[in-house]
Amino acid sequence: MTRLLAIRLSALGDVIHTVPAVMSLRGAFDVSWVVEAPYAELVQIVTGVNTIPVRLKKWSLNSILTARESVRDFDVAVDFQGLIKSALLARIAAPDRYGFAKDAVRERPAALFYNHRIRIDQSKHVVDWNRELAAALTGNQRPTNDNWSAFPQDAQNKLTAFTNKIVLLPGTGRLEKIWPLERFRVLVKRYGDRSLVVSGPGEESLARAIGGPSAPETNLRELAFILQRAQVVVGGDTGPLHLADALGTRVVGLYGPTDPARNGPYGQLDRTIRHSKTMESITAEEVIRKIEE
């Protein structure tokens, strides 16, 4: 069977948005996925494909050369990321390389490394971008059979007290995507012990500033356990929000600089709030209304 390398290195939300496309390639190809090491376990469990963990977040030519031995001798490579570093991996991996057309890649020189530059409908959600890229190889967008329910780690003894909560996610990858902390405080004041502030590495100061009940430090699978068992998850455009959506939990997405039509929680776009490109335009009162719905 033709050996195919899927490339989407990071971040968490983007990896989640690539899962349906990679799943659609299974069956037609012997699929492997090269991904940043922190997400390798998620990819392996949810998709069942072979994973190749790398550490290229702070990349250099030397780090690419170090990774090359693990990505050699594929027949086809598909770059879902559109960065120079991901395109270089595709160039090393396979003679036949697919990626987005130049107007859709994040770093335009990346398109120079592809044999096949696929035009997609950029008005659609990024999940559909990825599906269209995969369909260029299969001829159709196959249904997916991903296994999200298997990912949360059984952490009953440690985390049962933190389930069935209104989970608040104050952190995001970019400062301009953070909803004002004083409005998270309004939610904590309203819901009290029913609320739970969940923060990732380096976000502990946000949780302290909001106050209220906080989750303990967790790994990614333990975080999924909490999210899967939440009443509702509230947060901006961040990986844990997309993880909650993938796990089937109800969410309220808060959006400003990014467009939910393109980057929102794919299964619940009707549960997002966006008025302008600034998070300050979203009031606590309308978030409470969404939660109560």
Side-chain angles (χ1 to χ4, degrees):
M1 184 179 287
T2 302
R3 298 184 69 228
L4 180 145
L5 182 68
I7 304 168
R8 179 76 226 195
L9 303 173
S10 62
L12 176 59
D14 298 308
V15 170
I16 291 167
H17 288 156
T18 308
V19 165
V22 172
M23 292 298 294
S24 74
L25 295 168
R26 287 187 57 187
F29 299 93
D30 176 11
V31 179
S32 295
W33 185 337
V34 59
V35 64
E36 286 286 340
Y39 312 123
E41 186 179 36
L42 180 150
V43 167
Q44 177 68 56
I45 293 171
V46 173
T47 68
V49 305
N50 178 54
T51 56
I52 302 172
V54 294
R55 294 190 182 275
L56 295 173
K57 195 166 186 179
K58 294 183 179 179
W59 74 284
S60 64
L61 183 57
N62 184 59
S63 62
I64 291 286
L65 293 175
T66 301
R68 68 179 175 177
E69 293 304 318
S70 59
V71 299
R72 294 174 74 90
D73 300 323
F74 285 87
D75 302 302
V76 184
V78 187
D79 180 12
F80 292 100
Q81 189 140 6
L83 300 178
I84 293 172
K85 65 179 176 182
S86 56
L88 280 170
L89 288 177
R91 176 68 178 81
I92 293 167
D96 207 14
R97 301 176 295 278
Y98 286 74
F100 296 113
K102 186 168 66 174
D103 61 341
V105 292
R106 288 177 59 191
E107 295 176 352
R108 289 200 167 195
L112 298 174
F113 293 91
Y114 311 142
N115 311 103
H116 309 276
R117 302 172 185 89
I118 307 305
R119 293 195 172 278
I120 46 90
D121 184 350
Q122 296 185 49
S123 68
K124 293 183 177 180
H125 194 281
V126 69
V127 169
D128 298 309
W129 289 32
N130 294 329
R131 285 181 181 273
E132 288 184 28
L133 179 52
L137 288 90
T138 63
N140 61 77
Q141 296 193 28
R142 299 163 181 259
T144 63
N145 295 301
D146 43 48
N147 191 17
W148 284 103
S149 63
F151 182 67
Q153 181 173 300
D154 184 358
Q156 301 254 0
N157 294 333
K158 177 182 177 183
L159 299 174
T160 299
F162 303 98
T163 59
N164 198 35
K165 301 291 186 179
I166 297 170
V167 171
L168 309 178
L169 304 172
T172 70
R174 288 160 44 191
L175 290 175
E176 64 268 28
K177 295 196 290 185
I178 293 178
W179 194 44
L181 298 185
E182 64 269 16
R183 296 179 197 174
F184 276 112
R185 291 191 200 106
V186 173
L187 302 188
V188 169
K189 183 176 180 180
R190 179 178 181 89
Y191 295 109
D193 289 341
R194 293 175 60 197
S195 64
L196 181 70
V197 180
V198 174
S199 56
E203 297 173 352
E204 296 82 3
S205 62
L206 297 179
R208 288 193 298 270
I210 293 169
S214 294
E217 183 177 341
T218 60
N219 62 36
L220 189 55
R221 291 185 69 189
E222 290 169 342
L223 170 64
F225 182 89
I226 291 173
L227 297 177
Q228 187 182 51
R229 289 158 177 78
Q231 291 183 28
V232 63
V233 176
V234 181
D237 182 12
T238 182
L241 183 83
H242 299 296
L243 180 57
D245 177 47
L247 291 165
T249 303
R250 291 172 291 185
V251 304
V252 176
L254 312 178
Y255 279 72
T258 51
D259 185 354
R262 180 188 183 279
N263 294 95
Y266 188 65
Q268 305 182 64
L269 296 181
D270 59 327
R271 292 179 179 156
T272 60
I273 303 173
R274 189 198 195 204
H275 302 307
S276 69
K277 292 186 177 182
T278 64
M279 299 296 286
E280 288 77 9
S281 66
I282 302 171
T283 67
E285 290 70 27
E286 61 187 320
V287 174
I288 289 169
R289 286 197 297 271
K290 276 286 186 185
I291 291 171
E292 297 301 329
E293 286 175 9

